[in-house]
Amino acid sequence: MMKLIFLGPPGAGKGTQASIASKKLGIPTISTGDMLRAAVKEGTEIGKQAKSFMDAGKLVPDSVIIGIVAERVEKADCAQGYILDGVPRTLAQARALEDAGIRFDHVVSIETTDQVVTQRLEGRRVCPDCGATFHTTSNPSKVEGVCDACGQALIQRHDDQAETIANRLKIYHKETEPLKEFYQQRGLLRQVEDTGSIESVNGRIMAVLGK
Ligand code: AP5
């Protein structure tokens, strides 16, 4: 059983690293960003509520997030643990998970700079069908603009525009960064430097997990 949180600014590589770790550890990744994007695409009530916040690079209200996470971790595939990617993102979300009796083994914080993540987000390309993530220079698809996994045309996320990226970073520093202190006080914080290739960052993450 391993319950993990991957923490870090937008573009730090949380999704990329969670996907690799998920396969190695045999536990699912729960990404609130992916869940919300799916809800927007399907036009559900949650999607309608979330869309304007996401397009502006703002956080979706805590009440929406807490509900979808609490429901998701009860599913059968979470019995052996899970990786939370991009949640919690506010102290209120972290406290709500704690109040619900959910405890974690490690909180992995990917440490990077605003300059690095801005370059990453501007070059990010994603598959609208299967969610695979690429980067125009650091992690290109085999055929430019086409998903390696399912052959769909890759797109740029709505919120990966320069102005929205700046807003997301501002909100990260104000709302999410204080979670490091919160989990440090609980002895759970594992800080991992985000220098080098995706594989080398993954090696450091597996090492702090004792794997
Ligand atoms: P979400 O989808 O969670 O976005 P985010 O946190 O902004 O994170 P990203 O997905 O942008 O980045 P990432 O760290 O996963 O990086 P990635 O692996 O893709 O949330 C989107 C929105 O939903 C939020 O703005 C908010 O509105 C809402 N939301 C979601 N959760 C919420 C919550 N809990 N509360 C409230 N609102 C919520 O990597 C980035 C790029 O870099 C890729 O192109 C990748 O190939 C490349 N890359 C990765 N690692 C490396 C490396 N080591 N070297 C070179 N390139 C690399």
Side-chain angles (χ1 to χ4, degrees):
M1 168 74 88
M2 194 175 269
K3 292 183 184 171
L4 307 173
I5 295 172
F6 280 16
L7 200 67
K14 303 180 295 297
T16 301
Q17 294 299 337
S19 156
I20 302 171
S22 159
K23 287 186 192 111
K24 290 189 176 172
L25 298 169
I27 53 176
T29 294
I30 300 174
S31 158
T32 40
D34 287 348
M35 289 164 87
L36 292 167
R37 277 184 290 278
V40 169
K41 204 170 161 189
E42 286 161 24
T44 66
E45 201 43 52
I46 285 180
K48 284 179 197 151
Q49 286 178 45
K51 188 175 186 321
S52 59
F53 293 100
M54 296 176 78
D55 284 348
K58 293 183 184 161
L59 295 182
V60 172
D62 290 333
S63 54
V64 175
I65 301 295
I66 292 161
I68 61 175
V69 174
E71 198 180 303
R72 180 65 186 86
V73 299
E74 289 303 319
K75 296 248 160 86
D77 65 334
C78 293
Q80 294 310 312
Y82 43 80
I83 304 172
L84 295 188
D85 160 18
V87 65
R89 293 239 224 262
T90 62
L91 283 169
Q93 291 177 18
R95 292 197 185 106
L97 293 174
E98 204 167 74
D99 291 348
I102 300 175
R103 297 288 179 269
F104 297 95
D105 300 295
H106 306 277
V107 176
V108 176
S109 171
I110 305 180
E111 303 291 329
T112 183
T113 64
D114 287 6
Q115 198 191 357
V116 167
V117 298
T118 301
Q119 285 165 0
R120 287 204 187 147
L121 293 176
E122 286 178 349
R124 173 164 63 183
R125 299 293 180 269
V126 295
C127 175
D129 257 21
C130 74
T133 298
F134 303 90
H135 189 278
T136 47
T137 53
S138 70
N139 182 24
S141 53
K142 291 192 184 93
V143 178
E144 196 185 332
V146 177
C147 178
D148 288 353
C150 71
Q152 263 294 330
L154 300 175
I155 58 162
Q156 192 168 20
R157 262 170 52 176
H158 282 305
D159 56 352
D160 282 349
Q161 314 293 334
E163 200 182 309
T164 320
I165 293 170
N167 199 27
R168 288 160 67 199
L169 281 168
K170 208 163 99 191
I171 292 175
Y172 167 77
H173 290 302
K174 183 162 176 274
E175 303 283 350
T176 310
E177 216 166 11
L179 292 182
K180 288 203 257 176
E181 174 72 22
F182 180 88
Y183 288 115
Q184 176 85 63
Q185 285 168 1
R186 286 154 179 76
L188 299 177
L189 189 72
R190 320 279 178 250
Q191 290 174 285
V192 171
E193 284 302 322
D194 169 48
T195 41
S197 65
I198 290 171
E199 290 70 29
S200 60
V201 176
N202 182 255
R204 264 174 251 141
I205 291 177
M206 299 313 281
V208 299
L209 299 179
K211 297 287 174 183

